[in-house]
Amino acid sequence: MSSKEKILAAIRRQSPARPPLPSLDEAWIQYPDVQAQFAAALASVGGQVVEAASLADAASVIGQLPPMEQAAKIVCTVPGLPLGNCVLDDVPDPHLLADVDVAIVAGRFGVAENGAVWVEAGHLRHRAVCFICQHLVLVMPRGEIVHNMHQAYQRLTFTRAEYGVFISGPSKTADIEQSLVIGAHGARSLTVALVAGWEGQLSAAAQE
Amino acid sequence: MAEELTVVDHPRAAAKFVRDDARAHWHDQALWFVRVKRDRMAQSLPEWETLRAKAAEIKAHTVGHLAEYLEQFERQATALGAKVHWAADAAEHNQIVLDILQRHGVKQVAKSKSMLTEECHLNPFLERHGITVVDTDLGEWIVQLRGEPPSHIVLPAIHIKKEEVGELFHRKLGTEAGATDPKYLTEAARYKLRQVFLESQAGITGVNFAIAETGGIVVCTNEGNADLGVSLPKLHIACMGIEKLIPRAADLGVFLRLLARSATGQPITTYSSHFHGPAPSGELHIVLVDNGRSSILGNDDYRRSLHCIRCGACMNTCPVYRRSGGHSYGATVPGPIGSILNPARDPGRYATLPYACSLCGSCTDVCPVKINLHEQLLTWRRDIAAAGKLSWSKQAAMKAAAFVLARPGLYRLAGKVARFSLRHLPRLLLYGPWNPWGRQRELPRAPRRSFREQYARRPKP
């Protein structure tokens, strides 16, 4: 008998109660101003929001961020944002990204309750760039913010092999005496650029 | 490991911990600080209790249908290109992981936090076979460098002071002598562990949630170490207990809202990573481990302990845990939930743990999945006594109590003696080493008459 059969048989020998799966249809929290709540939640976890009136405007807003000033190696995977000097698709091995100073990638939508942004790696040759960079900038359409995590999962379907991640703020740790330190292993700073009048690189339509 | 063979004596280990009074208070305060942050987060959501109820219902449903969901998960994960392995116990789990690593010629692994691999003692096993394992969560790395196990499942180094981390890093990493600034020390660790991430040929992670419907797994970290560990090499091994399953992706809406708020008082962890299948041209192995879980599932009294999402809230709130330290439990999972899970695995070795509890019920109040922790702890005491695992001193005390309580005259006399002694005996006699109740506390001032006597003397209407 294989371990699989053994484990399943051991479970099936037991007869716990079998209550139904509950509905998740509830009056979950809604915020009067999702953009303001998103910005406040992101600030509370050490990130920041910048606003841009258009994608062209985003280029100048992001270009003026402090991490960009001293950045030597910048990866930008957002089409229409001419900010990068290293093309991710030309990098053969993710280990070569160890010296990336700033990575600028698209997020699909944000979550107001916790400042998280959903990032899909399907369009990134190396998803490692999101974690190995010193500073991370996520670019997303201004209107794409949901109130809470239940709405977030209504927008997500997982039907193919792909990696996705909610990122909420910069990498952090409090493992030494509960003192919060920003920049543990991943990005030392996180900026979310909310771009008006742009439907986004990862909008549901662009997905198909 | 010699420690494995001995019986855990929680009172003795705790006594050692509280001997350093200042440190015990510092530990208590550090954890209470986390509990307060958790309260603030819980109170910021009007639907907190609804979320807890939903989480408990989802878990109860999942446990009731676990075999079906495990099969569905394997089907879906396999369809996405992951390889699913089944391990009946810790030894089989360790062997599976070793085989995969050896097949790939792996010499060094970057591991992110996984209580399951701690439970299975994977690190020493792999090290014995010549594979270097680096725990990349900062707290876990600190305890690994010190050669000790984590003392908390979410805050592995909560028992260690920054001066000690500074001294450790000075010896191991060459940081400045006497440095204690957490920012400086974290930066040194960041630098060193970046090299580890870049050098390792495989990444091992735990699993916070596995989704039956989609075949995906979710891993939550604040540091980003899980993602760095598995996005650089081609090989990702994810190890999980079979109770980590949830039916639907939508259920994550409930659990991710509860997990970080309960654990550290954050609205969500920094990274909540959803792995569906391997990375392009990479490999993803998922090891499903039973190791005693299916037998807990068969027990009506303890089944709900399988709902646990390992947030650690019960530890942060527990007055005994906060004042006795995680290591006093002698187990991978300490605190209230550990005092239920460990005796289930080995009642003889862990017989003292259900007594490391005042039955205050605070753990039950904060548990995000509504496990009736303090009730299960009380039930464990009954089971341990019934199995004859109780220490002779507790057995003798129970027998003496039963003898006295069954004889009203004797009981009244005992009360009289006790009240007289408390009122009239000199401190030297009352607070001698023979009276453990007088050790860290002032004994109450006894009334002259018992309630019964006062009641008999009340003015008659």
Side-chain angles (χ1 to χ4, degrees), chain B residues 16 34 69 87 141 160 180 186 193 207 222 252 267 294 333 349 432:
Chain B
K16 215 171 114 192
V34 184
Y69 280 130
W141 194 51
I160 303 170
T180 59
T186 302
L193 286 170
V207 171
N222 280 320
L252 289 165
S294 58
V333 181
R349 179 169 151 75

Side-chain angles (χ1 to χ4, degrees), chain A residues 3-4 23 163-164 171 175 186, chain B residues 54 74 92 139 190 227 274:
Chain A
S3 289
K4 174 184 171 180
S23 155
Y163 169 90
S171 161
D175 274 344
Chain B
K54 293 284 180 194
E74 183 189 37
E92 189 176 10
R190 175 185 172 100
D227 283 298
H274 298 52

